Amino acid sequence: MAWLAVVMLACSIFDGLPTIPPGWTLTPDPSAAPTLTFTPTLTPTPLITERVSIGDLSLFYGDFDSALFQYRIALQDSPDPQIRAAAKWGEARIYFAEGRYNECLAAIQSLIAEHPNSTYATQAYFIQGFVNYRLENYQAAADSWQTYLVLRPNYIDAYVQELRGDALYNAKDYASAFSAYTAAIQASSLGDDIKIDMKAAASQKGLGNYDDAIALYEGVIARATSDFIKAQAVYEIGLLYQVKGQNEAAIERFTFAVNNYPLSYYSYLSLVALLDAGGTVSELQRGLVDYFAGQYAVGIAAFDRYLQTNPSDNDGTAYYYRARSKSSLSLYDEALVDYDAFINNYPTHRNWGDAWGEKAFILWAQKNNYSGAAETLLEFVRLAPTSTAASSYLFSAGRIYERGNQIDKAIETWSRLANEYPSSQEAQNAIFLIGILDYRRGQYDFALASFERSLASATSATNQARALLWIGKTQEKLGNLAAAETAWREGQNKNSGGYYSERARDFLLGRAPFAPVTLTNPPNLEQERADAEAWMRLTFNLGNDVDLKNLGALSADERIIRGKEFWDLGFYNEARAEFEDVRTQLETQADAVNSFRLTNYLLDLGMYRVAIFSARQILTMAGLSEHAESMMAPTYFSRIRYGHYFSELVNPEAQKNGLDPLFVYSVIRQESLFEGFVSSVADARGLMQVIPTTGAQIASELGKPLDYTSDDLYRPYVSIMFGTHYLAKNRTLFNGDIYATLAAYNGGPGNSLAWKELAGDDPDLFLESVRFEETRNYIRNIYEIFVIYRRLYGAG
């Protein structure tokens, strides 16, 4: 099949699906990390026609040195102009990715001169525009993008016209910039063009057409749904009125922004402009704007002035936000004073309940006053027992006592929660955690009673399986082995595929968590895709005339066309947005046929995350749940959703670091769903979501890549190298404890050490001792993923 050839030579999506490279042998040991041995395999020298494909794969992986090596050999040895053009294009993209702009320009110019009719030469103008822009050659950048548009129209015109507008604006050619922005708005694209309207208005301002600019900004305000964009537009209108000499109108606009959009930084800029223009504003409002802009010191000063003139005639807002401002500046004692003043005097304020929790947090997290923190929350519950926050505050009070090693008080508080708020989710967790505390200190009879009560009160299959797992563990401690096995047998069926049911099954099989398995031979993907096509025809009643091997009508969808162009240019985020828009539309329309086509297309392309979602939505349309999928759907869908992507990188790095490859795949799937260009709110980056500070440390330890920057974390080659190294490093720190290793990867080694001290060598006890819900979920999710990988690719 053609798709398989493309995959093997270009994206290599399923290449190496045995999970270990040729020549590697995996010997499982249930009590230890996998042992990997190497038998040298003779690798033939690639044909010259394959050099570019290998280089493209290395470039996709971010292994720039290997890619450049392959491209240069192709340029040196091949007389074929198509191969030479492709190699030169690859070379230019590498220089661009590495920020070697002069070399990139030279490569592009060579490509254009030697292969002017090549598609690569046309696309090179697009990259040339970026290089010139970053070198601040703005007119040259605009010219490059204009040439791209002429030579390659109707692909990504809106995007490129906006880029041209930015370049021309920076070149102070405002008239041409406005024309480019107008063309961008008129071209087909995702989105509503509001940000381009803002740029068009700025161009009109540059031309001195102030009324036209104001009209554009007013249009933005009327259409925008974001207060942040509205605040910017109002601020810009205020500046325009100042330029026009209409100071009162400017003050009116600045005041409007301050009063209506206090969360926006443009509200802060409006405040500054307002005061400079001689306007006035309430000291309370001024303090709020300063607070949300992160200007805490000046905010505190404004709140001070407000409270001095309104000592009793205020609603408490100033005290609350002054407390938060002081806390943000680490002035904790002063913040506590303000919290007390707020709590004691303003019980009807909408933030009154929040203030109790914030005060408690300062007491335990910053002042190490665990008793004071817990008592603060208990006092809130006494005063407001019917509050929606009461049960969560009781739970938190118990957790704080537990963190302060006041175990009896923790049990007392959680028992009170279970008795006073029995229908709350917190109550179910509290009953369970009482059992964990008793188990941890060896009081197994008490622990068993709590776990049995937890089972009786559990309303979800997950919590029922959790209780049964621990009933079994406690019965085992009490020497009741038959009762333990009975509990585990019941538990393994409560939530099949869920963490606690799978752990119950582990106990029945005498299997350690994350125990490596013997790996099977690679699947026959060509046959599995054919089986999936047959299943599609049967399940959705499709005739033989329905083509499932190609995109069909989707090939003419402008989003597919734009997405493929972005992908070929290496602009993966933009490509994903286009493909994801198609996917979600097909999901809404319950279009299984085109979802299947899209899945295969994205899989072959290398857009794994969207392909995974697309595959899952087909099964949903077929009425299959996650559990039913493994039993009733073709294996092909599971292979997509739990694939061995980036195997050429994962397998050798797993071997080098003594890690089970299936474990590494599980971590990557949880971290990024195999999307190498993704980032998180915490600035974790790439396939294995390494944060920049950790990345810098690892780069220093490994001594590579040379000239490391945090952007290197987006390179799959670097991310997998760093992530596996960091996992192995933490595994060594924790003497092979995989749970503690994962907790350190997600929550930090220091926290993991503290949790390990509570749990000893019991992985299940460790999990329940983890105090970050995110980290507990992280470990459970990875284990559930690992179980699926084990079933898909393990023998037996």
Side-chain angles (χ1 to χ4, degrees):
M1 296 174 66
W3 71 271
L4 188 58
V6 172
V7 167
M8 293 179 65
L9 290 178
C11 294
S12 192
I13 293 169
F14 286 106
D15 191 24
L17 261 172
T19 76
I20 51 177
W24 292 105
T25 303
L26 180 60
T27 305
D29 179 354
S31 63
T35 302
L36 296 163
T37 58
F38 180 65
T39 304
T41 300
L42 296 178
T43 303
T45 302
L47 298 172
I48 192 62
T49 55
E50 297 174 351
R51 291 288 187 180
V52 171
S53 296
I54 296 171
D56 289 345
L57 178 60
S58 297
L59 175 56
F60 179 64
Y61 284 169
D63 186 354
F64 299 145
D65 290 340
S66 297
L68 195 59
F69 174 76
Q70 298 295 338
Y71 292 141
R72 285 176 173 170
I73 290 180
L75 286 168
Q76 173 183 301
D77 294 348
S78 177
D80 187 327
Q82 290 185 335
I83 292 177
R84 294 181 61 81
K88 184 58 71 173
W89 169 234
E91 189 179 70
R93 284 185 293 162
I94 290 172
Y95 293 144
F96 177 67
E98 293 185 324
R100 298 159 64 178
Y101 295 138
N102 289 328
E103 292 168 278
C104 181
L105 285 176
I108 288 173
Q109 289 161 5
S110 174
L111 170 59
I112 293 170
E114 296 175 17
H115 311 281
N117 297 321
S118 167
T119 298
Y120 301 123
T122 303
Q123 291 177 320
Y125 282 106
F126 179 82
I127 301 298
Q128 187 182 61
F130 273 99
V131 174
N132 283 322
Y133 190 92
R134 292 175 184 177
L135 293 174
E136 300 183 4
N137 298 326
Y138 298 120
Q139 187 60 56
D143 292 342
S144 295
W145 283 320
Q146 178 61 27
T147 302
Y148 169 85
L149 287 168
V150 170
L151 296 176
R152 201 161 176 79
N154 303 320
Y155 280 87
I156 52 174
D157 290 12
Y159 185 82
V160 179
Q161 288 287 14
E162 184 180 357
L163 291 174
R164 283 190 67 244
D166 293 344
L168 291 164
Y169 183 89
N170 280 287
K172 302 189 185 311
D173 184 354
Y174 301 120
S176 297
F178 180 76
S179 297
Y181 290 137
T182 301
I185 292 169
Q186 293 171 347
S188 178
S189 68
L190 299 179
D192 59 7
D193 300 323
I194 281 181
K195 292 184 178 179
I196 305 179
D197 282 338
M198 294 285 287
K199 294 179 178 181
S203 298
Q204 290 287 23
K205 178 180 178 180
L207 288 168
N209 299 331
Y210 304 135
D211 290 337
D212 289 341
I214 290 172
L216 284 167
Y217 284 129
E218 293 285 9
V220 167
I221 294 169
R223 292 165 48 219
T225 58
S226 166
D227 283 353
F228 295 92
I229 292 176
K230 289 180 180 180
Q232 182 182 358
V234 173
Y235 169 70
E236 295 292 349
I237 291 174
L239 294 180
L240 284 166
Y241 277 129
Q242 282 188 321
V243 174
K244 294 178 65 175
Q246 300 177 18
N247 198 52
E248 290 303 317
I251 288 175
E252 179 185 350
R253 289 298 179 146
F254 294 143
T255 303
F256 186 86
V258 169
N259 290 333
N260 290 276
Y261 311 117
L263 300 181
S264 169
Y265 188 73
Y266 281 96
S267 180
Y268 173 72
L269 296 179
S270 293
L271 173 63
V272 174
L274 172 63
L275 297 175
D276 287 344
T280 59
V281 66
S282 159
E283 292 291 357
L284 175 61
Q285 195 65 27
R286 180 174 180 175
L288 290 173
V289 170
D290 288 332
Y291 168 79
F292 287 114
Q295 303 295 319
Y296 303 118
V298 292
I300 289 170
F303 292 133
D304 288 345
R305 291 191 296 271
Y306 174 77
L307 290 172
Q308 287 170 5
T309 56
N310 301 273
S312 57
D313 184 19
N314 69 81
D315 70 350
T317 297
Y319 281 109
Y320 178 69
Y321 281 101
R322 189 171 72 173
R324 296 194 69 167
S325 298
K326 290 175 177 178
S327 179
S328 297
L329 293 174
S330 301
L331 302 173
Y332 300 119
D333 290 331
E334 295 182 34
L336 289 172
V337 171
D338 275 348
Y339 276 125
D340 284 337
F342 178 73
I343 287 170
N344 293 332
N345 295 293
Y346 304 97
T348 61
H349 195 282
R350 65 183 180 278
N351 296 117
W352 188 72
D354 297 331
W356 288 89
E358 291 161 18
K359 175 186 174 181
F361 180 81
I362 291 176
L363 286 171
W364 79 260
Q366 307 299 338
K367 307 293 291 183
N368 293 318
N369 184 355
Y370 292 89
S371 294
E375 289 164 6
T376 294
L377 297 177
L378 294 176
E379 178 65 8
F380 171 84
V381 175
R382 185 185 71 80
L383 294 173
T386 61
S387 167
T388 56
S391 60
S392 63
Y393 275 8
L394 262 182
F395 183 83
S396 295
R399 178 66 84 183
I400 290 170
Y401 278 134
E402 187 266 338
R403 290 185 176 188
N405 202 32
Q406 299 180 63
I407 304 302
D408 289 334
K409 285 191 173 182
I411 291 176
E412 177 187 345
T413 302
W414 281 334
S415 296
R416 177 184 165 188
L417 169 59
N419 293 329
E420 295 180 15
Y421 302 92
S423 62
S424 68
Q425 180 60 46
E426 291 89 355
Q428 294 185 42
N429 290 331
I431 295 168
F432 173 74
L433 287 175
I434 291 171
I436 292 296
L437 293 182
D438 281 329
Y439 187 96
R440 201 164 75 194
R441 59 185 183 175
Q443 297 187 5
Y444 300 119
D445 287 325
F446 290 120
L448 182 60
S450 291
F451 293 138
E452 288 176 340
R453 185 182 177 189
S454 176
L455 176 61
S457 66
T459 57
S460 68
T462 297
N463 286 351
Q464 291 167 358
R466 178 178 69 176
L468 286 165
L469 172 70
W470 280 92
I471 288 171
K473 284 176 67 73
T474 309
Q475 292 283 22
E476 184 181 49
K477 286 290 187 181
L478 291 170
N480 303 324
L481 301 184
E485 184 172 320
T486 297
W488 289 330
R489 288 194 182 282
E490 184 179 354
Q492 74 171 338
N493 297 318
K494 278 292 180 183
N495 186 30
S496 183
Y499 171 81
Y500 292 104
S501 288
E502 293 303 330
R503 283 294 294 131
R505 185 170 291 109
D506 287 341
F507 278 105
L508 292 170
L509 295 174
R511 180 171 57 197
F514 290 110
V517 296
T518 302
L519 302 175
T520 62
N521 292 322
N524 185 335
L525 293 170
E526 191 170 352
Q527 182 59 52
E528 287 183 355
R529 183 176 284 196
D531 293 342
E533 290 178 4
W535 177 86
M536 286 286 299
R537 296 187 188 281
L538 180 64
T539 303
F540 297 102
N541 194 27
L542 307 177
N544 291 329
D545 59 324
V546 178
D547 182 7
L548 294 176
K549 299 184 183 301
N550 301 294
L551 275 176
L554 282 179
S555 62
D557 189 303
E558 58 187 16
R559 295 165 297 178
I560 296 290
I561 294 170
R562 289 196 300 264
K564 179 59 163 61
E565 183 74 355
F566 279 128
W567 184 267
D568 290 344
L569 292 166
F571 283 65
Y572 300 131
N573 280 304
E574 290 77 10
R576 176 187 52 189
E578 302 286 349
F579 293 134
E580 181 64 12
D581 196 67
V582 177
R583 184 195 69 78
T584 54
Q585 180 183 346
L586 296 176
E587 183 178 31
T588 301
Q589 296 172 343
D591 187 339
V593 171
N594 278 321
S595 292
F596 186 73
R597 291 166 172 163
L598 181 67
T599 299
N600 294 332
Y601 176 76
L602 295 176
L603 189 66
D604 295 347
L605 194 64
M607 178 64 75
Y608 305 128
R609 183 187 183 95
V610 185
I612 288 168
F613 286 135
S614 186
R616 177 59 247 177
Q617 73 191 37
I618 296 168
L619 302 176
T620 300
M621 293 172 199
L624 298 181
S625 65
E626 291 276 348
H627 178 53
E629 171 190 343
S630 62
M631 298 183 294
M632 301 176 65
T635 303
Y636 180 67
F637 292 101
S638 294
R639 301 264 193 223
I640 293 172
R641 299 184 62 227
Y642 298 87
H644 286 186
Y645 308 122
F646 302 97
S647 60
E648 293 87 349
L649 302 177
V650 170
N651 295 332
E653 289 297 330
Q655 185 278 331
K656 183 172 69 177
N657 289 284
L659 298 169
D660 183 349
L662 295 184
F663 171 70
V664 177
Y665 288 120
S666 301
V667 172
I668 296 174
R669 192 185 192 279
Q670 171 64 25
E671 289 286 357
S672 66
L673 214 62
F674 299 100
E675 191 165 89
F677 45 92
V678 70
S679 61
S680 74
V681 292
D683 201 27
R685 303 180 179 190
L687 284 172
M688 299 197 72
Q689 289 290 277
V690 178
I691 62 174
T693 52
T694 302
Q697 174 188 336
I698 297 172
S700 175
E701 293 170 358
L702 296 178
K704 57 183 178 181
L706 297 177
D707 302 319
Y708 165 81
T709 70
S710 58
D711 284 345
D712 287 326
L713 296 174
Y714 292 116
R715 299 162 57 185
Y717 160 73
V718 173
S719 185
I720 292 171
M721 175 172 58
F722 280 20
T724 52
H725 170 82
Y726 192 54
L727 283 170
K729 179 181 176 181
N730 283 313
R731 186 192 58 193
T732 299
L733 175 65
F734 292 103
N735 298 315
D737 187 329
I738 297 298
Y739 279 54
T741 297
L742 288 173
Y745 197 92
N746 178 261
N751 288 319
S752 190
L753 282 167
W755 300 327
K756 179 121 177 107
E757 288 179 5
L758 296 173
D761 294 327
D762 186 331
D764 302 295
L765 188 56
F766 177 89
L767 176 71
E768 308 305 343
S769 298
V770 170
R771 288 159 174 159
F772 296 166
E773 182 178 5
E774 176 190 336
T775 303
R776 289 197 303 276
N777 290 337
Y778 178 81
I779 296 171
R780 286 195 292 253
N781 290 343
I782 288 177
Y783 195 71
E784 291 172 2
I785 294 168
F786 177 79
V787 166
I788 295 173
Y789 270 106
R790 182 172 62 199
R791 288 175 181 165
L792 273 175
Y793 301 105

